[in-house]
Every structure is written in C-alpha cells, then in structure tokens.
C-alpha cells in the first residue's frame, strides 16, 4: 500500500503529571525538549511526515505549541481543537467524523504525541505491513513485547492467529500489580498496549455508533457544525454531550474485529521518570543525567537519575536508587521505587493551591516565553523572549506600569500614539493604562527584562485590544 493512503492522527492531549515537575498542565511533556533538543511531539511529526497529510487533536491552550512543533518538523497540519478534554474515545470520534466527510474509507493511523520511537523507517514499514488488514475492515493495534514485568503499562492478551504475524485480540487489561505483571511476562500471550491504532474512518465510526451512540452523535454533529479558522477546526457545542471514556473501554474491549500486530523496534511511552532515564546520558554504575549535563556531578552514586538546569550546580554523593529532578521553581527528590506515585502527589499539590503543580515559572506563549525571576507584593521582574517576527497583543493594564530593557535583539514598541525602535541596552516606560505592544522585527530572538510595578500584578490584568493569535474573547 502507498504510504500516503494513510492519514496520521496525532493525539496531543494529556498533562503528563507523572513527569512532574518538568511536565505540568500548562506545558506537558510532549512539548518539552527532552531528546537532543527536540520535543517528543516534534519527533512524532518527523516520524509521520512521509505519510503526507496529518491531522492533530489539540486544545486552545496548546494549539500554538503544536503548530510550532509542526513548523520545526517542516510539515503542515490541521488541528481539531477539543473544547474540553474528554479522553481518547471522543477525540478519535472527532477525527473519524472529520475524515469520513472526505472519504469514509480513509485509513487513519492514531498516534499519541508523547511516545519515543527512535527507528522512524522501521515504524513506517510496520504500519504499511498492517495496512491491508485495516483496509479490509479490521481495527489494528500494535502490541510491544514486554522486556520486564512493568506495572506502568496496560496489556493486551492475544488470541488466535489471524494472518502471518498478526493475532486476534482476546482482552485489553489495565495496568497490573507486580505479581500479575510477572505472570503476564511469563505467559508469552501478553503484550504492552502501545495505544497506536490503524483503522478506516467508517469502521471506527460504526463501532462508536454501536457501542457509544451518545458520544458518536455528539461528535458527528460537532464536526458538521465546526468552524474553521485557518488550520484550526473548532467543533460545535454538541461536543459537550460526548461521554469521557478511553477508546479501550469504549471500543477495543467490546469489538470483535480487533487485531494485534507486533510492534517492531524500540518503544517507550516515556510515562515515568524511570522510563525517561532511557533518553538520558548513561554514566557508570547505572547513573543517568538528563537536561543540562554540564551542571551535574555525581560521586559514589549508583542508579541515580538527575535532571539538571542552567540555574545551578547539582552534586550527588553516596546516593543509590534515587531520582533528582531540578527545575527553576520546584525540586523533586524520590526513590526510584516510589516515583511512579508522583501523579497522586501532584493531585494533592493542586488541592493545596500550589501554583507550581500546574504552571512553570517559565511560561510558554505563542510569541515566545517569559520567566518570572523575582517578585514581591508591589513589583515583579520577568525575563521575556520574543521569537523573530512575533508580536505580543495590543493591550493595556489598569493596575501596573512596566519598564522594558532590551538586552538582545531589537524591539518595535507601540505606546499610545507613538511607535519607535529600541536596540540593545535601551529602555522605555509604559505608564498605567497606556495602550502598548511589543514586536520583534529582527531575525534573532528578542530578549528583554520587564520590571512591573503597581498595586496588582496578576496576569488577568491584561485587556487585549488586538491579537494575531486570536486570544480576544468573542
């Protein structure tokens, strides 16, 4: 089969709380550069780019991060923006309903955005080898041969042979306890569930209509009433009626046409810090370094994983079976055996209104990012980076004034009826209530220091008057 007869659908949702504090709701793991300066989403797009047309399921909050990763991978895509995350069944239903409007028999390849699969060519060969089974009306999923009794993955129990190298699915199983995982490993019939599916749009639609009619009808109508904005497609209000449920519960455990093909090559869902260590630099005695390696020193340490930053030097001495994850505003220290429980800890931090549980100190924006490096009741200092050609919204603040100091590049500044250029080591003052905008007209990133002062410094004291990124409420 021609590879371009298959349309990849990348599922970009998920908050990645098991990789806290590096991954957080505001900037999940799929967008963070974790492998040679590239994010898992960028690597996913590169792996799928030869297929041609690509569809992505994303959100308003993350749409520009997805678009940026696509630009880096040199591909164009359409994003369906879910109004609210409802798990994989409604997301896949939106994609199937969208695809069948063009061609009901279009073959869709559903892929999570945050998996690590280093052999791109072998992956594509594996998919095309299974494509005929999908073309003939089956739902094909891919199972990974277990290498350990992992409790971090769901499993698929395989049944009788359905063809050369492919078997029927007997049962989808949740993440087991250790004893059960050891039984699965020794059985030879159980595979890790990779969460990758190959299926015709009409076949998936029919299955959803049979097993989850409320969700299917809601998603079908939401696509029919969707509004297009460039490369973004916003489903209609009916999507609110879709029932939150995983595709495994909704379809895979109930359908009788599910086949399991063996996954070829290396695979990881990078779903925990123990798994993330597979992407780092291996040192002696089982040690591993992630992030900024030059700021990490390890002495008399064994099986210790450290994520370093540019902020400070990290030294371990006499550690064993330890996870140390440093970020500018939060530090995680955990035993390797207990780190899988971090998801529950993040939930407790959210309940305690700890802002670090959700947002980074460094906050990504479609135009660049800002880092809140110091603050008090009446002032805040930010380091702001604006991408070449990007601009902030035309806005004003009712409670704060701002001082801007350019330290690299150039800034085109609008302040009320004035428009002027600032170069390195130049500064300006934005009074309370002034209508203002900052743009980067150059070819290198603009870096500046912003000093805010006033009675209230919250991010909600921004009245946007014009915005190229569509962030003005209707």
């Amino acid at each position: 089969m021609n590879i371009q007869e298959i349309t990849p659908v990348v599922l970009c949702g998920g908050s990645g709380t098991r990789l806290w504090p590096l991954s957080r709701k505001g900037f999940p793991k799929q967008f963070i550069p974790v492998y040679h300066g590239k994010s898992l989403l960028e690597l996913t797009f590169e792996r799928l780019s030869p297929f041609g047309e690509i569809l992505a399921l994303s959100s308003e909050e993350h749409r520009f991060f997805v678009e940026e990763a696509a630009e880096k991978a040199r591909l164009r895509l359409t994003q369906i923006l879910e109004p609210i995350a409802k798990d994989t069944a409604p997301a896949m239903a939106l994609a199937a309903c969208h695809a069948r409007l063009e061609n009901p028999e279009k073959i869709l390849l559903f892929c999570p955005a945050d998996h690590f699969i280093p052999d791109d060519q072998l992956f594509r060969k594996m998919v095309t080898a299974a494509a005929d089974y999908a073309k003939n009306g089956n739902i094909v999923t891919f199972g990974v041969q277990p290498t350990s009794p992992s409790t971090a993955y769901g499993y698929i129990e395989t049944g009788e042979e359905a063809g050369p190298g492919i078997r029927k699915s007997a049962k989808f199983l949740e993440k087991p306890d250790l004893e059960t995982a050891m039984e699965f490993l020794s059985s030879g019939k159980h595979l890790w569930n990779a969460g990758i599916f190959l299926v015709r749009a009409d076949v998936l639609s029919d299955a959803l209509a049979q097993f989850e009619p409320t969700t299917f009808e809601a998603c079908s109508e939401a696509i029919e009433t969707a509004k297009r904005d460039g490369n973004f497609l916003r489903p209609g209000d009916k999507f609110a009626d879709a029932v939150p449920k995983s595709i495994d519960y909704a379809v895979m455990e109930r359908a009788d046409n599910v086949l399991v093909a063996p996954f070829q090559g290396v695979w990881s869902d990078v779903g925990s810090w123990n798994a993330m260590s597979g992407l780092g630099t291996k040192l002696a005695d089982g040690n591993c370094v992630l992030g900024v390696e030059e700021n990490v020193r390890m002495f008399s340490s064994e099986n210790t994983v450290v994520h370093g930053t540019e902020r400070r030097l990290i030294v371990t001495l006499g550690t064993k079976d330890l996870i140390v994850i440093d970020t500018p505003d939060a530090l995680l220290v955990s035993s390797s055996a207990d780190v899988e429980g971090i998801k529950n800890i993040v939930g407790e931090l959210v309940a305690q209104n700890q802002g670090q549980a959700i947002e980074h100190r460094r906050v990504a924006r479609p135009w660049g990012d800002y880092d809140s490096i110091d603050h008090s009741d009446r002032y805040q200092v930010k380091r702001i980076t604006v991408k070449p050609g990007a601009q902030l919204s035309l806005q004003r603040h009712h409670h704060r004034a701002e001082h801007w100091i350019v330290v690299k590049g150039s800034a085109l500044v609008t302040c009320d009826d004035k428009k002027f250029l600032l170069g390195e080591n130049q500064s300006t003052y934005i009074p309370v209530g002034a209508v203002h905008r900052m743009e980067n007209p150059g070819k290198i990133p603009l870096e500046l220091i912003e000093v805010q002062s006033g009675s209230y410094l919250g991010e909600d004291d921004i009245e946007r008057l014009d915005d190229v990124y569509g962030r003005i409420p209707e």
Side-chain angles (χ1 to χ4, degrees):
M1 176 177 289
N2 187 330
I3 193 172
Q4 297 200 343
E5 294 181 51
I6 301 170
T7 298
V9 182
V10 182
L11 305 173
C12 300
S15 58
T17 51
R18 287 189 293 161
L19 288 176
W20 187 89
L22 191 62
S23 174
R24 309 186 197 182
K25 182 177 181 295
F27 199 57
K29 66 172 181 176
Q30 58 265 33
F31 305 120
I32 298 170
V34 295
Y35 188 72
H36 299 306
K38 295 182 179 182
S39 69
L40 293 170
L41 179 58
E42 186 180 348
L43 293 171
T44 299
F45 282 155
E46 289 179 351
R47 183 165 59 251
L48 299 174
S49 59
F51 288 91
E53 176 191 1
I54 291 182
L55 190 65
L57 272 296
S58 183
S59 65
E60 287 285 347
E61 182 181 10
H62 297 143
R63 60 190 172 120
F64 291 107
F65 305 148
V66 175
E67 189 172 53
E68 182 179 24
E71 289 174 356
K72 289 180 178 178
R74 299 179 181 178
L75 57 84
R76 293 181 62 83
L77 77 162
T78 296
Q79 288 189 57
I80 299 178
L81 304 178
E82 294 179 272
I84 183 172
K86 286 179 174 282
D87 216 327
T88 50
M92 292 171 66
L94 287 175
C97 290
H98 172 72
R100 72 191 181 119
L101 292 177
E102 178 184 337
N103 177 7
E105 295 189 355
K106 178 177 288 188
I107 298 177
L108 304 177
L109 172 64
F110 289 94
C111 298
D114 54 0
H115 288 184
F116 179 66
I117 303 171
D119 195 330
D120 294 356
Q121 187 172 353
L122 185 58
F123 173 83
R124 293 189 290 266
K125 182 179 179 182
M126 173 190 75
V127 169
T128 53
D132 281 339
Y133 291 100
K135 187 175 183 179
N136 292 333
N138 296 292
I139 303 173
V140 180
T141 188
F142 297 89
V144 180
Q145 187 66 46
T147 56
S148 65
S150 176
T151 61
Y153 302 134
Y155 285 73
I156 305 171
E157 182 180 325
T158 59
E160 63 186 50
E161 188 174 5
I166 195 166
R167 309 187 77 85
K168 290 185 177 181
S169 163
K171 191 181 297 184
F172 278 70
L173 301 155
E174 286 297 300
K175 298 171 184 176
D177 56 29
L178 182 59
E179 183 178 353
T180 304
M182 292 180 70
E183 293 176 3
F184 289 170
L185 181 64
S186 61
S187 74
K189 298 190 301 181
H190 294 83
L191 304 174
W192 288 336
N193 182 2
I196 300 171
F197 304 95
L198 194 64
V199 59
R200 279 187 356 215
D202 59 346
V203 170
L204 181 58
S205 295
D206 290 346
L208 286 161
Q210 177 184 354
F211 301 120
E212 297 289 335
T214 300
T215 291
F216 175 74
E217 291 170 10
C219 292
S220 181
E221 185 174 331
I223 287 297
E224 290 174 1
T225 58
K227 296 180 180 179
R228 181 172 283 277
D229 174 17
N231 294 327
F232 304 117
L233 192 67
R234 293 180 172 85
D237 295 339
K238 191 66 175 177
F239 183 70
D241 293 342
V243 180
K245 190 174 288 188
S246 75
I247 196 65
D248 291 353
Y249 283 137
V251 173
M252 302 304 160
E253 293 183 354
R254 302 153 84 176
D256 59 6
N257 60 336
V258 180
L259 303 182
V260 186
F263 192 94
Q264 304 294 326
V266 175
W267 170 88
S268 171
D269 76 343
V270 199
S272 70
W273 282 114
N274 288 322
M276 178 68 88
S277 65
L279 278 63
T281 300
K282 301 294 190 298
L283 305 178
D285 300 318
N287 297 315
C288 174
V289 180
L290 300 160
V292 182
E293 298 175 11
E294 56 267 28
N295 279 355
V296 177
R297 302 288 186 276
M298 306 176 79
F299 300 92
S300 302
S301 298
E302 297 179 31
N303 301 321
T304 297
V305 177
V306 177
H307 179 273
T309 69
E310 69 276 8
R311 305 290 179 182
R312 55 189 164 199
L313 176 69
I314 299 176
V315 177
T316 65
L317 175 61
T319 59
K320 185 176 181 179
D321 301 326
L322 205 63
I323 307 285
V324 181
I325 310 300
D326 189 32
T327 69
D329 63 343
L331 172 67
L332 169 68
V333 180
S334 170
S335 69
S336 300
D338 294 322
V339 76
E340 297 285 352
I342 190 61
K343 182 176 182 178
N344 296 330
I345 301 301
V346 172
E348 292 187 21
L349 294 175
V350 171
Q352 296 168 11
N353 294 317
Q354 290 286 342
Q356 297 95 325
I358 298 175
E359 294 287 353
H360 283 277
R361 195 184 80 175
R362 187 171 185 173
V363 178
R365 287 289 184 259
W367 43 260
D369 62 68
Y370 70 82
D371 186 358
S372 299
I373 57 181
D374 194 13
H375 66 90
S376 185
D377 292 340
R378 302 273 313 179
Y379 76 87
Q380 181 169 215
V381 182
K382 291 182 177 180
R383 180 169 50 237
I384 296 176
T385 302
V386 184
K387 294 183 289 189
Q391 59 179 265
L392 281 67
S393 60
L394 185 68
Q395 59 184 250
R396 63 183 162 207
H397 311 296
H398 298 281
H399 302 285
R400 73 177 187 240
E402 296 176 344
H403 296 257
W404 296 346
I405 306 156
V406 176
V407 296
K408 181 180 179 182
S410 57
L412 181 60
V413 177
T414 299
C415 186
D416 286 332
D417 58 351
K418 297 179 181 178
K419 200 165 188 174
F420 51 92
L421 196 66
L422 291 180
E424 293 182 10
N425 301 319
Q426 294 183 318
S427 63
T428 191
Y429 170 66
I430 308 296
V432 174
V435 175
H436 61 280
R437 167 176 267 160
M438 180 195 312
E439 305 175 49
N440 180 1
K443 297 184 181 299
I444 63 172
L446 162 65
E447 296 181 12
L448 68 148
I449 300 297
E450 177 182 89
V451 181
Q452 303 175 354
S453 60
S455 58
Y456 180 72
L457 306 172
E459 286 299 304
D460 53 351
D461 183 26
I462 300 177
E463 180 186 356
R464 291 191 173 94
L465 307 174
D466 179 62
D467 184 48
V468 298
Y469 306 110
R471 294 174 295 169
I472 300 176
E474 296 182 359

Coordinates of all heavy atoms in Angstrom, one line a residue, residues 302-336:
E302 N 25.0 5.4 42.8 CA 24.5 4.2 42.0 C 23.1 4.4 41.6 O 22.2 4.8 42.4 CB 24.7 2.9 42.8 CG 26.1 2.6 43.2 CD 26.1 1.3 44.0 OE1 25.3 0.4 43.8 OE2 27.0 1.2 44.9
N303 N 22.8 4.0 40.3 CA 21.4 4.0 39.9 C 20.6 5.3 40.2 O 19.5 5.3 40.7 CB 20.7 2.8 40.4 CG 21.3 1.5 40.0 OD1 21.8 1.3 38.9 ND2 21.4 0.5 40.9
T304 N 21.3 6.4 40.0 CA 20.7 7.7 40.3 C 20.5 8.5 39.0 O 21.3 8.6 38.2 CB 21.7 8.5 41.3 OG1 21.8 7.8 42.5 CG2 21.1 9.9 41.5
V305 N 19.3 9.0 38.9 CA 18.9 9.9 37.8 C 18.8 11.3 38.2 O 18.1 11.6 39.2 CB 17.5 9.4 37.2 CG1 17.1 10.3 36.0 CG2 17.6 7.9 36.7
V306 N 19.5 12.2 37.5 CA 19.5 13.6 37.8 C 19.1 14.4 36.6 O 19.7 14.2 35.5 CB 20.8 14.1 38.4 CG1 20.8 15.6 38.7 CG2 21.2 13.3 39.6
H307 N 18.1 15.3 36.7 CA 17.8 16.3 35.7 C 18.4 17.6 36.1 O 18.0 18.2 37.1 CB 16.3 16.4 35.5 CG 15.9 17.4 34.4 ND1 15.8 18.8 34.7 CD2 15.8 17.3 33.1 CE1 15.5 19.4 33.6 NE2 15.5 18.6 32.6
G308 N 19.3 18.2 35.4 CA 20.0 19.4 35.7 C 19.4 20.6 34.9 O 18.8 20.4 33.8
T309 N 19.6 21.8 35.4 CA 19.2 23.0 34.7 C 20.4 23.9 34.6 O 21.5 23.7 35.2 CB 18.1 23.8 35.5 OG1 18.6 24.3 36.7 CG2 16.9 22.8 35.8
E310 N 20.3 25.0 33.9 CA 21.3 26.0 33.8 C 21.4 26.9 35.0 O 22.4 27.7 35.2 CB 21.1 26.9 32.6 CG 20.0 27.9 32.6 CD 18.6 27.2 32.2 OE1 18.6 26.0 32.1 OE2 17.6 28.0 32.1
R311 N 20.5 26.7 36.0 CA 20.4 27.6 37.1 C 21.5 27.4 38.2 O 22.0 28.3 38.8 CB 19.1 27.5 37.8 CG 17.9 27.7 36.9 CD 17.8 29.1 36.5 NE 16.7 29.3 35.6 CZ 16.3 30.5 35.0 NH1 17.1 31.5 35.3 NH2 15.3 30.6 34.2
R312 N 21.9 26.1 38.4 CA 22.8 25.8 39.5 C 23.5 24.5 39.3 O 23.0 23.6 38.5 CB 22.1 25.8 40.8 CG 20.9 24.9 40.9 CD 20.1 25.1 42.1 NE 18.7 24.5 42.0 CZ 17.7 24.8 42.8 NH1 17.9 25.8 43.7 NH2 16.5 24.3 42.6
L313 N 24.5 24.3 40.0 CA 25.3 23.0 40.0 C 24.6 22.0 41.0 O 24.1 22.4 42.1 CB 26.7 23.3 40.5 CG 27.6 22.0 40.7 CD1 27.9 21.4 39.3 CD2 28.9 22.4 41.4
I314 N 24.4 20.8 40.5 CA 23.9 19.7 41.4 C 24.9 18.7 41.6 O 25.5 18.2 40.6 CB 22.6 19.1 40.7 CG1 21.5 20.1 40.5 CG2 22.1 17.9 41.5 CD1 20.3 19.6 39.7
V315 N 25.2 18.3 42.9 CA 26.1 17.3 43.2 C 25.5 16.2 44.0 O 24.7 16.5 45.0 CB 27.3 17.9 44.1 CG1 28.3 16.8 44.5 CG2 28.0 19.0 43.3
T316 N 25.6 15.0 43.6 CA 25.2 13.8 44.4 C 26.3 13.1 45.0 O 27.4 12.9 44.4 CB 24.3 12.8 43.6 OG1 25.2 12.2 42.6 CG2 23.2 13.6 42.9
L317 N 26.2 12.6 46.2 CA 27.3 11.9 47.0 C 26.7 10.8 47.7 O 25.8 11.0 48.6 CB 28.0 12.9 47.9 CG 29.1 12.3 48.8 CD1 30.2 11.7 48.0 CD2 29.6 13.4 49.8
G318 N 27.1 9.6 47.4 CA 26.6 8.4 48.1 C 25.2 8.1 47.9 O 24.6 7.4 48.7
T319 N 24.6 8.5 46.8 CA 23.2 8.2 46.6 C 23.0 6.9 45.9 O 23.9 6.4 45.2 CB 22.5 9.3 45.7 OG1 23.2 9.4 44.5 CG2 22.6 10.7 46.4
K320 N 21.8 6.3 46.1 CA 21.5 5.0 45.4 C 20.0 4.9 45.2 O 19.2 5.2 46.0 CB 21.9 3.8 46.4 CG 21.8 2.5 45.7 CD 22.3 1.4 46.7 CE 22.2 0.0 46.0 NZ 22.7 -1.1 46.9
D321 N 19.7 4.5 43.9 CA 18.3 4.3 43.5 C 17.5 5.6 43.8 O 16.4 5.5 44.4 CB 17.7 3.1 44.3 CG 18.4 1.8 44.0 OD1 18.9 1.6 42.8 OD2 18.5 1.0 44.9
L322 N 18.0 6.7 43.3 CA 17.3 8.0 43.6 C 17.0 8.7 42.3 O 17.8 8.6 41.3 CB 18.3 8.8 44.5 CG 17.7 9.9 45.4 CD1 16.7 9.3 46.4 CD2 18.8 10.7 46.1
I323 N 15.9 9.5 42.4 CA 15.6 10.4 41.3 C 15.6 11.8 41.8 O 15.0 12.2 42.8 CB 14.1 10.1 40.8 CG1 13.9 8.6 40.4 CG2 13.7 11.0 39.6 CD1 14.5 8.2 39.2
V324 N 16.4 12.7 41.1 CA 16.5 14.1 41.5 C 16.2 14.9 40.3 O 17.0 14.9 39.3 CB 18.0 14.4 42.0 CG1 18.0 15.9 42.4 CG2 18.3 13.5 43.2
I325 N 15.1 15.7 40.3 CA 14.6 16.4 39.2 C 14.6 17.9 39.6 O 13.8 18.3 40.4 CB 13.3 16.0 38.7 CG1 13.2 14.5 38.4 CG2 12.9 16.7 37.4 CD1 14.2 14.0 37.4
D326 N 15.5 18.7 39.0 CA 15.6 20.1 39.3 C 14.9 21.0 38.3 O 15.2 20.8 37.1 CB 17.1 20.5 39.5 CG 17.2 21.9 40.1 OD1 16.4 22.3 40.9 OD2 18.2 22.6 39.7
T327 N 14.1 21.9 38.7 CA 13.6 23.0 37.8 C 13.8 24.3 38.5 O 14.0 24.3 39.7 CB 12.1 22.7 37.4 OG1 11.3 22.9 38.6 CG2 11.9 21.3 36.9
P328 N 13.6 25.4 37.8 CA 13.8 26.7 38.5 C 12.9 27.0 39.7 O 13.3 27.7 40.6 CB 13.5 27.7 37.4 CG 13.8 27.0 36.1 CD 13.4 25.6 36.4
D329 N 11.7 26.4 39.8 CA 10.8 26.7 40.9 C 10.4 25.5 41.7 O 9.6 25.6 42.6 CB 9.6 27.5 40.4 CG 8.8 26.6 39.4 OD1 9.3 25.6 38.9 OD2 7.6 27.0 39.2
A330 N 10.8 24.3 41.4 CA 10.4 23.1 42.1 C 11.5 22.0 42.0 O 12.1 21.9 40.9 CB 9.1 22.6 41.6
L331 N 11.7 21.3 43.1 CA 12.7 20.2 43.1 C 12.0 18.9 43.6 O 11.3 18.9 44.6 CB 13.8 20.6 44.1 CG 14.9 19.5 44.4 CD1 15.7 19.2 43.2 CD2 15.8 19.9 45.6
L332 N 12.2 17.9 42.8 CA 11.7 16.5 43.2 C 12.8 15.6 43.6 O 13.8 15.5 42.8 CB 10.9 15.9 42.1 CG 10.5 14.4 42.2 CD1 9.5 14.3 43.3 CD2 10.0 13.8 40.9
V333 N 12.8 15.0 44.8 CA 13.7 14.0 45.2 C 12.9 12.8 45.6 O 12.0 12.9 46.5 CB 14.6 14.5 46.4 CG1 15.5 13.4 46.8 CG2 15.3 15.8 46.1
S334 N 13.1 11.7 45.0 CA 12.3 10.5 45.2 C 13.1 9.2 45.0 O 14.1 9.2 44.3 CB 11.1 10.5 44.2 OG 10.4 9.2 44.3
S335 N 12.8 8.2 45.7 CA 13.4 6.9 45.5 C 12.8 6.4 44.1 O 11.7 6.7 43.7 CB 13.0 5.9 46.6 OG 11.6 5.6 46.5
S336 N 13.6 5.6 43.4 CA 13.2 5.1 42.1 C 11.9 4.2 42.3 O 11.1 4.2 41.4 CB 14.3 4.3 41.5 OG 15.5 5.0 41.3

